Each structure stands twice: as structure tokens, then as C-alpha cells.
Amino acid sequence: MNMRKRKNAGRLLSRLLCLVTVMGMLVPMALADGASAEDSGIITEKTLLREISVVKHVQQTGSETPPAETFEFEVEDTAREEKLPLSYYGIGVEDLKLSTNGVNDVEKTLRFRIPTKKDYTPYHWDAVTKSGTDTVAWYSKTFLLKEKNDGKPGWNYSTAEYALTFWYDIEDNSMELNLHQPGNDVYYSKAEFTNTYSSTSYELPFTKTVKQGGNTAPGKETFALEIFDVGVSSMEAHAKDLYTATVTTKGAGTYDGKLIISGPADQVEALLCEGFYVREKDRGADHWTYDDAVWHIKPQYEQTSGQTVVNVPLA
């Protein structure tokens, strides 16, 4: 009898262990069928995931089509003079960059990870009490979301700013991430930023002729043009940053080149508006005689379908 009791007790214990194991597997199996731990209200992870959407609008205001570009956003601390990173508040973010490709709208989801705690004091969040009491009912932390201006040539960056507030309700054990106007409760579904590309480009063709003047055939050489006597004197010093004009020759013959003027639309316009002069740059290469011809470049403005079209012919 004692032996039977031991066997029966062993079987019962084995069945109980199996039941516990099966019950422990039910939650992850149910979640695997389509509901996340967050959706089911069961917290199985050490962090929560909260998301917002940002939209980048790219517009063209110059003559050049905006190139593919990558922009970055900043989430700036609003509580201190010393701007501390998200990690100081226990918050992580996957990626704050967004890539565009020409004139279009691009939307991206920014994902933030927050620790699952009922007391966010150790993470330096603000404790919010119920009205007229000392009872802490909520914890919150607000940041400023804006675009980082890293000075890419030709781009005018958005100056839009959004408040980004993490809000934890102790009673409901819920975490919200709100996008709103700084300083008030006007909420948004998306953060929208508009960047304009104002780069303008003009191409002026030129021809370089190489002749043999001695008994040795001309070798490979690179020639360049230079702009001088710019009509707007304040642009004289900046002109060299707005154009390129080189051509490489290989022996006697005629070679086609391009004087390309490109850059921010306002600077290009200032360079062109009163005209300028062009000549070959004497680079001092041995055995070469440089052309001393001077060309005057002056733009012509024409009205076409209500728009001003600028032509830059050789004068």
C-alpha cells in the first residue's frame, strides 16, 4: 500500500507540473495568434513601444530638381538649461532620420521605447498630482521635436516645432504619447515639416581650340575659365564658389566645355542680374600660350506665360 501511494502521488505531481507548463504557454501562444502583449493588456516586456508619424514635404523653388537627400530630426529636452539626451529619461528611439527623393511627400514612423514602471521618478519625469491633493496620479515628460538644420547647400529647412509629451496614468496603468503645440493642448496626428530646394543652375557652352605652335605635339592639358568684374560688386568674392568651367584637351583640336553656374537661387540671381565678364585663366603651364579674349555675359529676361524666364547668352 505504501508503494502504491507513492506511485499515485508521483503521478499526481507529474500531472500538476504538466498543467502548470501548459498554462504558462497559453499566454505567449495566444499572443502569437495576432494580439501583442500591449494590445492584450498583459505586459511581458521591459519596455513599451509608442509611435508618432512625421511627414516631410519637399518643394522646388529654383530651376534645379531637388536631389535625393536625408534629413534628421531632434528631440530636445525642454526641462533644463543643460539639454540632456533621451536616455537620461529612460527613453530610446530607433531612428530619427528620413530620406526623400525629389519633389514629393515622405512619411515615416518614429518609434520610442519607454520602460514599464509605475514610478518614473528615477527617470527624472515630472510627477503630476491630483487637484487639491499631494497624491501623484500621473508622470509626464515633454520634449521639443524639430528638424536639425545641417546646412545642406540649396536647402531651406523647416522651422516647425512640436511638443512631444509622454504621459503615464498610474490608475489606468496606461502610457500615451501626444503630439501637440508647445505650451497648449492643440493635438496633431502627424508632425509636418516643409523643406524647399532653391538651387538654380545655368550652363553656358564654350569651345577650346588647341593648336601646335612648335615641333612638339601638344600633350594632355586642363584649361579653365574665370569670372571677373561682377556687376554686383558684393558678389565678387562669392562668385568662385558658384561656378565651374574646365575642359581637358588631348593634343591639337577643338574641345567643347561648359561654364556651369549653380547654387542657392538668391546668390545665383545676384551674380547674374548685372552681368559679368569671362576670360581664360592663365594657369602658367609650361610651353602654353593662353587666349586673351574676354566675353561679356549679361542675362536677358523674358515673360513667358506670366513667368519670368532668364536666358544667359554670350555677348
Side-chain angles (χ1 to χ4, degrees):
M1 289 294 294
N2 291 338
M3 183 64 70
R4 287 180 181 176
K5 287 181 179 179
R6 288 177 183 175
K7 288 182 178 179
N8 290 336
R11 289 172 182 169
L12 179 59
L13 178 60
S14 176
R15 289 171 182 173
L16 286 172
L17 288 173
C18 289
L19 181 60
V20 170
T21 301
V22 169
M23 291 297 292
M25 293 174 62
L26 287 178
V27 169
M29 287 175 65
L31 295 179
D33 288 336
S36 69
E38 283 181 51
D39 294 337
S40 66
I42 302 170
I43 296 176
T44 61
E45 302 290 337
K46 293 183 179 180
T47 59
L48 293 170
L49 184 65
R50 291 295 180 266
E51 303 174 343
I52 63 165
S53 291
V54 295
V55 180
K56 170 64 65 183
H57 304 289
V58 175
Q59 299 176 352
Q60 177 181 341
T61 59
S63 65
E64 285 190 338
T65 301
E69 195 55 84
T70 298
F71 300 97
E72 188 170 0
F73 300 99
E74 296 178 301
V75 181
E76 185 179 274
D77 189 356
T78 60
R80 302 166 182 268
E81 292 183 3
E82 178 188 0
K83 303 304 180 184
L84 297 168
L86 284 170
S87 57
Y88 178 78
Y89 299 98
I91 301 170
V93 62
E94 294 178 1
D95 185 16
L96 289 172
K97 294 182 178 180
L98 179 152
S99 296
T100 62
N101 187 15
V103 177
N104 56 14
D105 296 341
V106 178
E107 185 168 353
K108 180 173 181 174
T109 299
L110 301 184
R111 297 180 173 87
F112 299 85
R113 294 194 175 275
I114 313 107
T116 55
K117 300 289 183 182
K118 293 195 173 183
D119 180 6
Y120 284 84
T121 304
Y123 293 98
H124 316 287
W125 288 31
D126 299 321
V128 183
T129 58
K130 289 184 177 180
S131 179
T133 73
D134 294 329
T135 303
V136 176
W138 306 276
Y139 287 96
S140 72
K141 183 69 192 92
T142 298
F143 299 90
L144 197 63
L145 174 66
K146 57 186 179 180
E147 184 177 36
K148 181 184 290 185
N149 186 341
D150 51 9
K152 293 181 176 68
W155 287 99
N156 295 316
Y157 288 76
S158 175
T159 58
E161 294 183 343
Y162 295 85
L164 194 64
T165 299
F166 296 86
W167 186 267
Y168 175 69
D169 187 313
I170 296 174
E171 183 177 352
D172 295 341
N173 188 27
S174 63
M175 177 71 70
E176 294 183 2
L177 176 54
N178 297 318
L179 194 64
H180 58 102
Q181 284 186 359
N184 61 47
D185 295 331
V186 177
Y187 293 94
Y188 302 99
S189 60
K190 302 175 182 179
E192 300 189 59
F193 302 86
T194 299
N195 286 25
T196 58
Y197 188 68
S198 62
S199 186
T200 295
S201 179
Y202 293 96
E203 294 185 358
L204 287 80
F206 68 90
T207 301
K208 177 63 183 174
T209 301
V210 173
K211 296 180 179 179
Q212 180 176 338
N215 56 10
T216 302
K220 180 179 178 181
E221 189 60 57
T222 298
F223 298 91
L225 304 185
E226 61 180 352
I227 288 175
F228 69 104
D229 282 354
V230 177
V232 179
S233 58
S234 60
M235 285 300 301
E236 191 80 40
H238 304 288
K240 63 180 181 298
D241 299 321
L242 298 175
Y243 74 92
T244 58
T246 61
V247 62
T248 299
T249 63
K250 298 179 181 179
T254 299
Y255 302 85
D256 293 328
K258 289 181 180 180
L259 167 61
I260 301 174
I261 301 171
S262 63
D266 57 340
Q267 294 185 30
V268 171
E269 181 181 355
L271 176 63
L272 295 179
C273 67
E274 295 296 333
F276 50 83
Y277 291 88
V278 176
R279 64 189 172 198
E280 186 173 44
K281 188 174 183 179
D282 187 342
R283 306 178 73 172
D286 292 341
H287 311 300
W288 285 99
T289 300
Y290 291 85
D291 197 317
D292 58 2
V294 173
W295 294 88
H296 184 220
I297 310 295
K298 189 172 179 62
Q300 294 177 350
Y301 298 92
E302 300 175 2
Q303 288 292 324
T304 303
S305 300
Q307 295 183 339
T308 301
V309 179
V310 182
N311 295 314
V312 191
L314 290 172

